[in-house]
Amino acid sequence: MMHAFEYAAPKSLDEALKLLGSAWGDTEILAGGTDLLSLMKDFVVQPKRLVNLADVGLAGIAPEGDSLVIGAMTTLDALLAHASVPTALTQAAAGVHSPQLRSMGTIGGDLLQRPRCWYFRRGHGLLAQKDGASMVEAGDHRDHAVFGNGGAAKYVNPSSFAPALIALGASVKVRGQNGERSLAVKDLYRTPASATEREFTIASNEIVTHVVVPISRSSNATYEIRQRHGLDWPEASASVAVTVVDDKVTAASACLGHVAPVPWTVDVSSLVGSVLTAESAAAVAAEVVADATPLTMNGHKVELAKVALTRALLRAAGKEVVR
Amino acid sequence: MSDPNGLSRRHFLKGVGAGAIVAGSIEALSAEARAAAQAANPCVGPGAVPIKLSINGSVRELAVEPRTTLLDALRNHLDLTGSKKVCDRATCGACTVLIDGKAAYSCTTLAIAAQGRTIETVESLANGAELAPIQKAFVEHDAQQCGFCTPGFVVASEALLRTNASPDRAAVLEGLGGNLCRCGTYVGLKKACMSAGAPAKGGRR
């Protein structure tokens, strides 16, 4: 049973903003609830007030100029059903192998879900420090970060959509008391320096309202690798966007998921100017993971990240070998 | 628990101090009173709040704290104990119900947030003693062992069959991907789900 809280289901964004507290933890925003309610049952978060965004009108997908604007409360099912949603996003949505989660979960909730790190989920805090040392390093860390793990944060960003959105150059619209601002999806995340901070750059009284995806003619794809076929978060994933003109790559961007405390943007520009082949994809992936800093138990994730990136590139180029 | 609705009704009648008036006007008053109260402070709770849920074709009134999940409301307030509580963390699927026709985890849906949605539980599938086709298929193909996950699988199967009348093996794996069976009766589950959608093929039904 969760701790008791008061509840509001405001009818407008303005009303919702007024209900949010200026300190993390006092109030929480309810989207699909698939992560938040479990965190509350485990007393990892214990809000005094819950603000449900179901009735503020943030569900829906519509083209707007050169972009596709996706409301933060749009469900995974709705993303999968919409013809204009880029492949990299629909492939990420399809990776959530639970119809229940796809009918309930939202794109905004996915972007702002909390890490799956078992130390965090057991109440040891985001940085899992004990007597000034990392419980992650001392304990079981097979699923933890292999990039960006030099500081206290060792958990991995759990978002399915962030890598794809970053590869596609997407941004989010954020509403606060002082109006609206736009933020590149990449800049939504940070690695917290202390346990009192959250892993997001937005404030507790700001709301991610929309995801804005530029409509491009790039070929894009997501490739996720899971331990099991069923419902689970990936061990590693890669999302890529590649522009090919006359068989040659003219632009390429990529982001890895589930390997670092933030979605891990990587440089694949060495592909530009040549034909994308199995060899060139593998070569750039090997180059990318050469920077990895695995802990003692998670070296396999480096290999999985390499394979995910190679296969995402080949999938985007239509050269995937289906086994 | 045998008359759970009595709780909210008694509270309500006490609240408006109009025990003798008919149900219709009680509802009208209640809506007005609630609207007025909400204009001042849109928050409700943390104590029990009167809510209305559309469940299996009828509107049920009850009083729950905002923290009460739909699953707890079904089981503890409405005596609909077909939906099971196992993981209580949006993973195992034993609590699966249909919300607006789609499979959803009732353990991870707040009852108060389910107002205005159409909820169907496993209890709605059979017509009296006559089992629904998917339930018959579960019996036919021995799709359960201990049976505790079964209601969730039945509802998830029903959700799948409503969108895909004759699912192939891959569609069944995907459609039942949000449910777990610790006894490992997946072979029977797959057969049941596939045969319920295509009764003409197998010949056994």
Side-chain angles (χ1 to χ4, degrees):
Chain A
M1 178 71 87
M2 300 166 240
H3 283 313
F5 53 84
E6 60 176 23
Y7 170 92
K11 300 277 187 244
S12 74
L13 209 48
D14 287 329
E15 200 189 325
L17 285 166
K18 283 182 200 149
L19 292 166
L20 295 174
S22 56
W24 285 113
D26 286 348
T27 56
E28 294 284 350
I29 293 169
L30 177 66
T34 56
D35 186 29
L36 180 64
L37 296 187
S38 291
L39 287 165
M40 289 168 65
K41 288 173 187 176
D42 292 333
F43 311 122
V44 176
V45 293
Q46 303 175 46
K48 296 181 186 78
R49 177 187 293 164
L50 205 57
V51 180
N52 185 354
L53 294 188
D55 299 333
V56 303
L58 290 181
I61 304 172
E64 205 177 287
D66 295 334
S67 298
L68 191 66
V69 178
I70 304 171
M73 292 293 284
T74 304
T75 62
L76 275 59
D77 268 349
L79 283 173
L80 283 166
H82 198 281
S84 309
V85 173
T87 322
L89 282 174
T90 51
Q91 287 169 344
V96 179
H97 290 287
S98 159
Q100 290 92 327
L101 290 184
R102 293 196 301 265
S103 77
M104 300 165 73
T106 65
I107 189 168
D110 170 83
L111 291 175
L112 297 171
Q113 68 180 301
R114 309 299 307 277
R116 305 302 307 173
C117 167
W118 42 52
Y119 301 97
F120 170 63
R121 299 265 159 179
R122 286 293 177 99
H124 298 292
L126 203 49
L127 303 180
Q129 299 283 308
K130 193 177 180 186
D131 304 327
S134 168
M135 295 174 73
V136 180
E137 274 183 303
D140 189 336
H141 52 247
R142 72 186 93 167
D143 295 333
H144 285 76
V146 293
F147 288 99
N149 54 4
K154 314 283 184 198
Y155 61 83
V156 297
N157 180 281
S159 173
S160 288
F161 295 123
L165 291 170
I166 291 169
L168 292 163
S171 57
V172 288
K173 288 188 195 174
V174 179
R175 269 285 298 275
Q177 301 279 12
N178 301 322
E180 184 178 282
R181 63 194 174 107
S182 177
L183 199 60
V185 171
K186 185 178 188 298
D187 297 331
L188 184 58
Y189 303 98
R190 65 172 177 189
T191 305
S194 81
T196 56
E197 294 178 353
R198 284 216 180 170
E199 64 278 23
F200 311 114
T201 57
I202 57 168
S204 62
N205 53 5
E206 289 186 307
I207 295 174
V208 171
T209 60
H210 300 86
V211 177
V212 182
V213 188
I215 297 170
S216 76
R217 262 174 273 152
S218 75
S219 304
N220 54 81
T222 294
Y223 195 99
E224 300 179 321
I225 301 176
R226 287 179 167 75
Q227 196 174 7
R228 290 171 281 269
H229 282 294
L231 174 59
D232 201 358
W233 277 257
E235 294 264 326
S237 74
S239 293
V240 302
V242 182
T243 308
V244 176
V245 178
D246 297 335
D247 216 30
K248 290 212 173 122
V249 176
T250 59
S253 56
C255 185
L256 304 179
H258 313 276
V259 292
V262 295
W264 197 247
T265 306
V266 295
D267 181 7
V268 289
S269 61
S270 63
L271 290 169
V272 172
S274 54
V275 179
L276 180 57
T277 62
E279 290 72 28
S280 69
V284 76
E287 202 178 289
V288 159
V289 302
D291 295 339
T293 51
L295 307 171
T296 57
M297 286 179 199
N298 61 2
H300 63 286
K301 288 188 60 156
V302 178
E303 187 65 20
L304 295 179
K306 185 175 79 177
V307 171
L309 180 54
T310 307
R311 292 188 185 173
L313 286 165
L314 293 175
R315 186 177 263 190
K319 296 175 179 175
E320 185 183 11
V321 180
V322 181
R323 277 151 232 266
Chain B
M1 286 308 158
S2 62
D3 184 19
N5 284 336
L7 180 69
S8 64
R9 195 162 183 84
R10 270 199 304 277
H11 273 207
F12 180 70
L13 293 175
K14 222 189 210 172
V16 295
I21 58 178
V22 295
S25 45
I26 290 172
E27 277 171 23
L29 263 178
S30 151
E32 266 174 44
R34 243 179 281 168
Q38 285 203 354
N41 177 10
C43 294
V44 294
V49 183
I51 65 167
K52 285 182 196 175
L53 295 175
S54 164
I55 298 173
N56 301 339
S58 57
V59 175
R60 307 290 299 265
E61 293 182 37
L62 61 161
V64 295
E65 294 179 346
R67 64 176 161 172
T68 306
T69 62
L70 176 59
L71 177 62
D72 283 342
L74 293 171
R75 293 182 56 83
N76 302 340
H77 293 252
L78 300 172
D79 273 352
L80 291 168
T81 54
S83 311
K84 303 300 181 201
K85 186 190 270 195
V86 181
C87 77
D88 204 23
R89 298 290 185 281
T91 302
C92 77
C95 68
T96 300
V97 298
L98 301 178
I99 299 184
D100 293 338
K102 290 190 162 195
Y105 295 129
S106 64
C107 75
T108 302
T109 301
L110 292 178
I112 194 169
Q115 295 183 99
R117 317 282 300 270
T118 301
I119 300 154
E120 295 167 80
T121 70
V122 69
E123 286 89 348
S124 71
L125 297 180
N127 183 10
E130 176 70 10
L131 293 180
I134 184 62
Q135 292 170 312
K136 284 182 190 163
F138 266 61
V139 175
E140 188 81 9
H141 293 278
D142 201 15
Q144 59 276 310
Q145 188 174 314
C146 85
F148 210 72
C149 70
T150 306
F153 268 105
V154 167
V155 176
S157 301
E158 173 70 17
L160 169 64
L161 292 168
R162 285 190 191 180
T163 58
N164 182 354
S166 50
D168 60 12
R169 191 174 175 278
V172 170
L173 284 179
E174 196 56 43
L176 303 184
N179 295 64
L180 295 173
C181 169
R182 291 300 298 269
C183 303
T185 56
Y186 294 105
V187 174
L189 286 162
K190 277 172 220 157
K191 279 187 194 159
C193 202
M194 288 168 76
S195 76
K201 278 187 202 161
R204 268 194 78 195
R205 292 183 62 246

PDB file of all heavy atoms in Angstrom, chain B residues 22 25 28 31 33 39 49 51 54 85 108 111-112 115 118 141-142 147 150 166 170 180 183 189-190 192-193:
ATOM      1  N   VAL B  22     -34.768  10.930  -3.277  1.00  0.00           N
ATOM      2  CA  VAL B  22     -34.552   9.826  -4.214  1.00  0.00           C
ATOM      3  C   VAL B  22     -33.151   9.885  -4.824  1.00  0.00           C
ATOM      4  O   VAL B  22     -32.512  10.922  -4.834  1.00  0.00           O
ATOM      5  CB  VAL B  22     -35.606   9.832  -5.341  1.00  0.00           C
ATOM      6  CG1 VAL B  22     -36.976   9.561  -4.779  1.00  0.00           C
ATOM      7  CG2 VAL B  22     -35.575  11.123  -6.126  1.00  0.00           C
ATOM      8  N   SER B  25     -31.947  12.717  -7.482  1.00  0.00           N
ATOM      9  CA  SER B  25     -31.608  14.067  -7.016  1.00  0.00           C
ATOM     10  C   SER B  25     -30.368  14.054  -6.134  1.00  0.00           C
ATOM     11  O   SER B  25     -29.646  15.033  -6.058  1.00  0.00           O
ATOM     12  CB  SER B  25     -32.782  14.705  -6.297  1.00  0.00           C
ATOM     13  OG  SER B  25     -33.359  13.775  -5.420  1.00  0.00           O
ATOM     14  N   ALA B  28     -27.588  14.514  -8.543  1.00  0.00           N
ATOM     15  CA  ALA B  28     -27.506  15.876  -9.057  1.00  0.00           C
ATOM     16  C   ALA B  28     -26.873  16.794  -8.026  1.00  0.00           C
ATOM     17  O   ALA B  28     -25.955  17.541  -8.316  1.00  0.00           O
ATOM     18  CB  ALA B  28     -28.898  16.365  -9.435  1.00  0.00           C
ATOM     19  N   ALA B  31     -23.135  16.147  -7.668  1.00  0.00           N
ATOM     20  CA  ALA B  31     -22.312  16.698  -8.735  1.00  0.00           C
ATOM     21  C   ALA B  31     -22.082  18.188  -8.515  1.00  0.00           C
ATOM     22  O   ALA B  31     -20.967  18.681  -8.647  1.00  0.00           O
ATOM     23  CB  ALA B  31     -22.984  16.453 -10.085  1.00  0.00           C
ATOM     24  N   ALA B  33     -22.363  19.882  -5.650  1.00  0.00           N
ATOM     25  CA  ALA B  33     -21.546  20.090  -4.453  1.00  0.00           C
ATOM     26  C   ALA B  33     -20.082  19.832  -4.761  1.00  0.00           C
ATOM     27  O   ALA B  33     -19.198  20.573  -4.353  1.00  0.00           O
ATOM     28  CB  ALA B  33     -22.024  19.166  -3.335  1.00  0.00           C
ATOM     29  N   ALA B  39     -13.860  23.808  -7.386  1.00  0.00           N
ATOM     30  CA  ALA B  39     -13.442  25.114  -7.877  1.00  0.00           C
ATOM     31  C   ALA B  39     -12.512  25.769  -6.867  1.00  0.00           C
ATOM     32  O   ALA B  39     -11.554  26.443  -7.224  1.00  0.00           O
ATOM     33  CB  ALA B  39     -14.661  25.986  -8.145  1.00  0.00           C
ATOM     34  N   VAL B  49     -12.775   9.109  -1.029  1.00  0.00           N
ATOM     35  CA  VAL B  49     -13.449  10.004  -1.959  1.00  0.00           C
ATOM     36  C   VAL B  49     -14.533   9.195  -2.673  1.00  0.00           C
ATOM     37  O   VAL B  49     -14.269   8.068  -3.098  1.00  0.00           O
ATOM     38  CB  VAL B  49     -12.438  10.513  -3.028  1.00  0.00           C
ATOM     39  CG1 VAL B  49     -13.100  11.497  -3.964  1.00  0.00           C
ATOM     40  CG2 VAL B  49     -11.207  11.109  -2.368  1.00  0.00           C
ATOM     41  N   ILE B  51     -16.413   7.838  -5.659  1.00  0.00           N
ATOM     42  CA  ILE B  51     -16.138   7.749  -7.097  1.00  0.00           C
ATOM     43  C   ILE B  51     -17.175   6.834  -7.753  1.00  0.00           C
ATOM     44  O   ILE B  51     -17.873   6.077  -7.077  1.00  0.00           O
ATOM     45  CB  ILE B  51     -14.714   7.211  -7.406  1.00  0.00           C
ATOM     46  CG1 ILE B  51     -14.549   5.763  -6.944  1.00  0.00           C
ATOM     47  CG2 ILE B  51     -13.652   8.109  -6.794  1.00  0.00           C
ATOM     48  CD1 ILE B  51     -13.306   5.089  -7.488  1.00  0.00           C
ATOM     49  N   SER B  54     -17.432   2.569 -14.173  1.00  0.00           N
ATOM     50  CA  SER B  54     -18.239   1.773 -15.092  1.00  0.00           C
ATOM     51  C   SER B  54     -17.598   0.405 -15.235  1.00  0.00           C
ATOM     52  O   SER B  54     -16.561   0.261 -15.875  1.00  0.00           O
ATOM     53  CB  SER B  54     -18.304   2.476 -16.454  1.00  0.00           C
ATOM     54  OG  SER B  54     -18.762   1.559 -17.420  1.00  0.00           O
ATOM     55  N   LYS B  85      -4.078 -10.380  -7.477  1.00  0.00           N
ATOM     56  CA  LYS B  85      -2.911  -9.560  -7.122  1.00  0.00           C
ATOM     57  C   LYS B  85      -1.716 -10.478  -6.907  1.00  0.00           C
ATOM     58  O   LYS B  85      -1.722 -11.307  -6.001  1.00  0.00           O
ATOM     59  CB  LYS B  85      -3.170  -8.756  -5.845  1.00  0.00           C
ATOM     60  CG  LYS B  85      -2.019  -7.788  -5.546  1.00  0.00           C
ATOM     61  CD  LYS B  85      -2.145  -7.166  -4.162  1.00  0.00           C
ATOM     62  CE  LYS B  85      -2.950  -5.882  -4.200  1.00  0.00           C
ATOM     63  NZ  LYS B  85      -2.786  -5.094  -2.944  1.00  0.00           N
ATOM     64  N   THR B 108      -1.861  -1.254 -11.366  1.00  0.00           N
ATOM     65  CA  THR B 108      -1.058  -0.061 -11.592  1.00  0.00           C
ATOM     66  C   THR B 108      -1.925   1.029 -12.223  1.00  0.00           C
ATOM     67  O   THR B 108      -1.439   1.889 -12.937  1.00  0.00           O
ATOM     68  CB  THR B 108       0.198  -0.452 -12.411  1.00  0.00           C
ATOM     69  OG1 THR B 108       0.895  -1.454 -11.664  1.00  0.00           O
ATOM     70  CG2 THR B 108       1.151   0.694 -12.646  1.00  0.00           C
ATOM     71  N   ALA B 111      -7.856   3.634  -8.948  1.00  0.00           N
ATOM     72  CA  ALA B 111      -9.314   3.547  -9.122  1.00  0.00           C
ATOM     73  C   ALA B 111      -9.892   4.919  -9.444  1.00  0.00           C
ATOM     74  O   ALA B 111     -10.715   5.070 -10.354  1.00  0.00           O
ATOM     75  CB  ALA B 111      -9.957   2.973  -7.856  1.00  0.00           C
ATOM     76  N   ILE B 112      -9.419   5.931  -8.751  1.00  0.00           N
ATOM     77  CA  ILE B 112      -9.963   7.279  -8.928  1.00  0.00           C
ATOM     78  C   ILE B 112      -9.682   7.802 -10.341  1.00  0.00           C
ATOM     79  O   ILE B 112     -10.466   8.571 -10.896  1.00  0.00           O
ATOM     80  CB  ILE B 112      -9.391   8.236  -7.843  1.00  0.00           C
ATOM     81  CG1 ILE B 112     -10.189   9.527  -7.782  1.00  0.00           C
ATOM     82  CG2 ILE B 112      -7.911   8.523  -8.061  1.00  0.00           C
ATOM     83  CD1 ILE B 112      -9.853  10.397  -6.573  1.00  0.00           C
ATOM     84  N   GLN B 115     -12.130   6.561 -13.459  1.00  0.00           N
ATOM     85  CA  GLN B 115     -13.487   7.095 -13.655  1.00  0.00           C
ATOM     86  C   GLN B 115     -13.641   7.562 -15.102  1.00  0.00           C
ATOM     87  O   GLN B 115     -12.715   8.119 -15.680  1.00  0.00           O
ATOM     88  CB  GLN B 115     -13.743   8.258 -12.708  1.00  0.00           C
ATOM     89  CG  GLN B 115     -13.739   7.854 -11.240  1.00  0.00           C
ATOM     90  CD  GLN B 115     -14.061   9.027 -10.338  1.00  0.00           C
ATOM     91  OE1 GLN B 115     -15.184   9.185  -9.892  1.00  0.00           O
ATOM     92  NE2 GLN B 115     -13.063   9.846 -10.071  1.00  0.00           N
ATOM     93  N   THR B 118     -14.280   2.669 -19.524  1.00  0.00           N
ATOM     94  CA  THR B 118     -15.104   1.460 -19.531  1.00  0.00           C
ATOM     95  C   THR B 118     -14.236   0.289 -19.082  1.00  0.00           C
ATOM     96  O   THR B 118     -13.259  -0.061 -19.740  1.00  0.00           O
ATOM     97  CB  THR B 118     -15.656   1.198 -20.941  1.00  0.00           C
ATOM     98  OG1 THR B 118     -16.433   2.340 -21.315  1.00  0.00           O
ATOM     99  CG2 THR B 118     -16.529  -0.038 -20.966  1.00  0.00           C
ATOM    100  N   HIS B 141      -7.748 -26.908 -23.868  1.00  0.00           N
ATOM    101  CA  HIS B 141      -6.314 -27.079 -24.136  1.00  0.00           C
ATOM    102  C   HIS B 141      -5.478 -27.120 -22.859  1.00  0.00           C
ATOM    103  O   HIS B 141      -4.266 -27.004 -22.916  1.00  0.00           O
ATOM    104  CB  HIS B 141      -5.824 -25.976 -25.066  1.00  0.00           C
ATOM    105  CG  HIS B 141      -6.414 -26.076 -26.432  1.00  0.00           C
ATOM    106  ND1 HIS B 141      -5.912 -26.932 -27.397  1.00  0.00           N
ATOM    107  CD2 HIS B 141      -7.495 -25.483 -26.988  1.00  0.00           C
ATOM    108  CE1 HIS B 141      -6.642 -26.841 -28.494  1.00  0.00           C
ATOM    109  NE2 HIS B 141      -7.617 -25.962 -28.270  1.00  0.00           N
ATOM    110  N   ASP B 142      -6.148 -27.283 -21.732  1.00  0.00           N
ATOM    111  CA  ASP B 142      -5.440 -27.438 -20.462  1.00  0.00           C
ATOM    112  C   ASP B 142      -4.437 -26.293 -20.270  1.00  0.00           C
ATOM    113  O   ASP B 142      -3.251 -26.519 -20.010  1.00  0.00           O
ATOM    114  CB  ASP B 142      -4.710 -28.798 -20.436  1.00  0.00           C
ATOM    115  CG  ASP B 142      -4.401 -29.226 -19.019  1.00  0.00           C
ATOM    116  OD1 ASP B 142      -4.972 -28.641 -18.089  1.00  0.00           O
ATOM    117  OD2 ASP B 142      -3.585 -30.152 -18.849  1.00  0.00           O
ATOM    118  N   GLY B 147      -3.552 -22.216 -11.824  1.00  0.00           N
ATOM    119  CA  GLY B 147      -4.717 -21.413 -12.169  1.00  0.00           C
ATOM    120  C   GLY B 147      -4.719 -19.983 -11.683  1.00  0.00           C
ATOM    121  O   GLY B 147      -5.639 -19.229 -11.982  1.00  0.00           O
ATOM    122  N   THR B 150      -4.451 -17.501 -14.453  1.00  0.00           N
ATOM    123  CA  THR B 150      -5.401 -17.763 -15.545  1.00  0.00           C
ATOM    124  C   THR B 150      -6.350 -16.598 -15.862  1.00  0.00           C
ATOM    125  O   THR B 150      -6.509 -16.249 -17.024  1.00  0.00           O
ATOM    126  CB  THR B 150      -6.205 -19.047 -15.234  1.00  0.00           C
ATOM    127  OG1 THR B 150      -5.266 -20.095 -14.969  1.00  0.00           O
ATOM    128  CG2 THR B 150      -7.095 -19.442 -16.390  1.00  0.00           C
ATOM    129  N   SER B 166      -7.965 -14.333 -35.609  1.00  0.00           N
ATOM    130  CA  SER B 166      -7.255 -15.616 -35.724  1.00  0.00           C
ATOM    131  C   SER B 166      -5.741 -15.377 -35.658  1.00  0.00           C
ATOM    132  O   SER B 166      -5.054 -15.384 -36.656  1.00  0.00           O
ATOM    133  CB  SER B 166      -7.637 -16.339 -37.014  1.00  0.00           C
ATOM    134  OG  SER B 166      -7.530 -15.469 -38.117  1.00  0.00           O
ATOM    135  N   ALA B 170       3.091 -16.023 -33.510  1.00  0.00           N
ATOM    136  CA  ALA B 170       3.829 -14.801 -33.187  1.00  0.00           C
ATOM    137  C   ALA B 170       2.907 -13.756 -32.554  1.00  0.00           C
ATOM    138  O   ALA B 170       3.276 -13.083 -31.590  1.00  0.00           O
ATOM    139  CB  ALA B 170       4.480 -14.239 -34.444  1.00  0.00           C
ATOM    140  N   LEU B 180       2.624 -13.454 -17.107  1.00  0.00           N
ATOM    141  CA  LEU B 180       3.569 -14.510 -16.748  1.00  0.00           C
ATOM    142  C   LEU B 180       2.839 -15.688 -16.089  1.00  0.00           C
ATOM    143  O   LEU B 180       1.882 -15.482 -15.338  1.00  0.00           O
ATOM    144  CB  LEU B 180       4.610 -13.976 -15.751  1.00  0.00           C
ATOM    145  CG  LEU B 180       5.557 -12.896 -16.258  1.00  0.00           C
ATOM    146  CD1 LEU B 180       6.396 -12.356 -15.097  1.00  0.00           C
ATOM    147  CD2 LEU B 180       6.467 -13.435 -17.342  1.00  0.00           C
ATOM    148  N   CYS B 183       3.881 -21.639 -13.591  1.00  0.00           N
ATOM    149  CA  CYS B 183       3.799 -23.085 -13.799  1.00  0.00           C
ATOM    150  C   CYS B 183       4.318 -23.466 -15.187  1.00  0.00           C
ATOM    151  O   CYS B 183       4.551 -24.645 -15.452  1.00  0.00           O
ATOM    152  CB  CYS B 183       2.365 -23.585 -13.651  1.00  0.00           C
ATOM    153  SG  CYS B 183       1.602 -23.210 -12.073  1.00  0.00           S
ATOM    154  N   LEU B 189      -1.495 -22.414 -23.221  1.00  0.00           N
ATOM    155  CA  LEU B 189      -1.990 -21.050 -23.382  1.00  0.00           C
ATOM    156  C   LEU B 189      -1.987 -20.638 -24.850  1.00  0.00           C
ATOM    157  O   LEU B 189      -2.952 -20.060 -25.358  1.00  0.00           O
ATOM    158  CB  LEU B 189      -1.120 -20.081 -22.572  1.00  0.00           C
ATOM    159  CG  LEU B 189      -1.334 -20.110 -21.051  1.00  0.00           C
ATOM    160  CD1 LEU B 189      -0.161 -19.476 -20.323  1.00  0.00           C
ATOM    161  CD2 LEU B 189      -2.628 -19.391 -20.699  1.00  0.00           C
ATOM    162  N   LYS B 190      -0.891 -20.930 -25.540  1.00  0.00           N
ATOM    163  CA  LYS B 190      -0.785 -20.563 -26.958  1.00  0.00           C
ATOM    164  C   LYS B 190      -1.840 -21.302 -27.772  1.00  0.00           C
ATOM    165  O   LYS B 190      -2.530 -20.710 -28.608  1.00  0.00           O
ATOM    166  CB  LYS B 190       0.617 -20.911 -27.486  1.00  0.00           C
ATOM    167  CG  LYS B 190       1.660 -19.846 -27.183  1.00  0.00           C
ATOM    168  CD  LYS B 190       3.042 -20.365 -27.562  1.00  0.00           C
ATOM    169  CE  LYS B 190       4.060 -19.948 -26.515  1.00  0.00           C
ATOM    170  NZ  LYS B 190       5.238 -20.819 -26.498  1.00  0.00           N
ATOM    171  N   ALA B 192      -4.671 -22.555 -26.746  1.00  0.00           N
ATOM    172  CA  ALA B 192      -6.012 -22.063 -26.404  1.00  0.00           C
ATOM    173  C   ALA B 192      -6.297 -20.767 -27.127  1.00  0.00           C
ATOM    174  O   ALA B 192      -7.362 -20.587 -27.727  1.00  0.00           O
ATOM    175  CB  ALA B 192      -6.121 -21.863 -24.894  1.00  0.00           C
ATOM    176  N   CYS B 193      -5.331 -19.867 -27.094  1.00  0.00           N
ATOM    177  CA  CYS B 193      -5.536 -18.551 -27.684  1.00  0.00           C
ATOM    178  C   CYS B 193      -5.695 -18.656 -29.203  1.00  0.00           C
ATOM    179  O   CYS B 193      -6.551 -18.008 -29.807  1.00  0.00           O
ATOM    180  CB  CYS B 193      -4.358 -17.658 -27.321  1.00  0.00           C
ATOM    181  SG  CYS B 193      -4.737 -15.923 -27.413  1.00  0.00           S
TER     182      CYS B 193
END
